Amino acid sequence: MTQMIAPQFDLERIRADFPILHQQVHGHPLAYLDSTASSQKPALVIDAMNDFYRRTNANVHRGVYQLSEQATEAMEQARAKIARFIGARSVREIIFTRNTTESINLVAHAWGRANLRPGDRILLTEMEHHSNLVPWQIVAQATGAELLFIPVDGTGRLALDGLDRLLTERTKLVALTHMSNVLGTINPVKVIAAAAKQVGALVLVDGAQSVPHFPVDVGELGIDFLAFSGHKMCGPTGVGVLWGRKPLLQAMPPFLGGGSMIRSVGLRSSSWNDLPHKFEAGTPAIAEAIGLGYAVDYLASVGMDAIHQAEQQLTQYAVERLQGIDGLTLYGPAVAERGGVLSFNLAGVHAHDVAAVLDQQGVAVRAGHHCCQPLMELLDAPATARASFYLYTTPAEIDQLVRGLEKCKAIFG
Ligand code: 7TS
């Protein structure tokens, strides 16, 4: 069994920052193992939003009065923090959206409808979340573009040996997840982006599971668009981010029309505001954007490298413990190529029953298809149970998971 190396941060101090973690569920300490679906929030994020509503609340980019200016300033500071966090060259490249899903839809509709022609190709992978699949299906149907897929091999990694054949001058966009929310696989985005550039294709990365868990630098990756969600990275729900390279965003038509996104409006036509406002129609999620800025501060203060290292340690420990359970099938690649997401099934027990029994033991895991139905078909599993980790997860919670699974086996024989 692996000796657990202590993380580079004080785990108990980190846990003290998250008020929700300190409670009992069904008479057991809560073991929250569903951060892939949504992370918990540190008190400083909750307090920042509370504070905004108590002291500064007003609409942004509109009023000339003090509160509105302060609200605008706070939101723009958050944008600047996020730009720094992912290595964006300009704050204008940070578009606030509702979530990863909306960020991808923005590119699919604004860029896709303007640029895709019949016969053009979009290259995806077989492990995409529905939010990086369905928007492309809709846009492909509207434009006559074709969808191609990088296959997933038996070990849960992308099979890249055929990449040369899949990428041609007809490929206009490659859109892929940085880390699978089912298998935990971390994809070699930099390598794939370099190959895509050889044929002149743009690259969109679904960073919903990467930006929260390890350092992501858009320049270093050589990509064109990055989509991620605030709620998976210690921030609130209702706010997400699209990063795009400025010349691309400037050339794209708007996604949604309305207030804030215009320069001037006539009865029959209008002109568009500068970036980022062109893509931020209507009143944004102001408190949430500010909260996300604080979440980024928090993650940066702990250190993204330290978070990644701690999660890998924990994953190694969890894999060894789970592999010790008779009848348990664990999906996905070796620990070196994955993050803290473990999907599994217990022989003869439906994943939903596994999750229900675990809940009785205070362990929160998700069960189902995890919005990846095509991948589940490949795994030949209608559903999996999934335990996922974050910076606040402890080895004791993994032990609690393992005890819960033993209980599950006892109940279902
Ligand atoms: N992409 C990936 C890789 C994801 O894991 C998710 C959410 C999304 C996109 C969509 O994010 P949203 O914030 O727009 O909803 N994944 C999950 C999950 O695995 N369980 O619940 C949500």
Side-chain angles (χ1 to χ4, degrees), residues 41-223:
K41 328 299 175 197
L44 106 166
V45 168
I46 301 166
D47 293 346
M49 292 171 65
N50 232 321
D51 201 53
F52 170 77
Y53 281 124
R54 284 177 176 275
R55 293 165 193 264
T56 323
N57 178 57
N59 211 331
V60 290
H61 303 306
R62 288 171 200 203
V64 289
Y65 55 91
Q66 180 166 319
L67 278 187
S68 174
E69 282 172 1
Q70 286 173 344
T72 305
E73 172 62 20
M75 187 172 141
E76 293 310 312
Q77 271 177 13
R79 197 190 304 276
K81 291 174 188 178
I82 294 161
R84 262 197 310 280
F85 190 65
I86 59 165
R89 284 202 180 160
S90 163
V91 289
R92 293 185 180 276
E93 296 181 328
I94 303 296
I95 316 287
F96 283 122
T97 62
R98 281 188 301 141
N99 46 36
T100 304
T101 303
E102 187 175 288
S103 298
I104 295 171
N105 273 276
L106 192 165
V107 179
H109 290 277
W111 177 84
R113 286 176 191 265
N115 290 282
L116 293 169
R117 304 279 168 269
D120 285 349
R121 288 175 170 176
I122 303 166
L123 182 59
L124 307 171
T125 84
E126 289 178 339
M127 64 167 77
E128 297 312 310
H129 187 279
H130 296 165
S131 68
N132 196 30
L133 173 59
V134 180
W136 302 114
Q137 293 173 346
I138 293 171
V139 168
Q141 276 158 21
T143 60
E146 292 169 28
L147 302 181
L148 277 76
F149 298 89
I150 303 176
V152 172
D153 71 15
T155 65
R157 296 179 305 169
L158 293 179
L160 294 178
D161 41 341
L163 188 60
D164 285 352
R165 268 172 286 121
L166 286 168
L167 278 172
T168 70
E169 72 288 350
R170 286 167 66 186
T171 313
K172 297 296 180 245
L173 178 83
V174 179
L176 80 160
T177 187
H178 204 164
M179 177 166 115
S180 164
N181 63 312
V182 174
L183 302 169
T185 316
I186 298 174
N187 290 321
V189 164
K190 196 174 169 177
V191 172
I192 295 169
K197 294 292 141 183
Q198 296 286 317
V199 298
L202 298 181
V203 179
L204 176 143
V205 171
D206 172 349
Q209 300 300 343
S210 61
V211 175
H213 295 281
F214 51 86
V216 173
D217 182 298
V218 291
E220 152 85 14
L221 289 174
I223 61 177

Side-chain angles (χ1 to χ4, degrees), residues 62 257-262 277 280-283:
R62 288 171 200 203
S260 301
M261 52 76 69
I262 47 82
H277 310 296
E280 293 181 356
T283 299

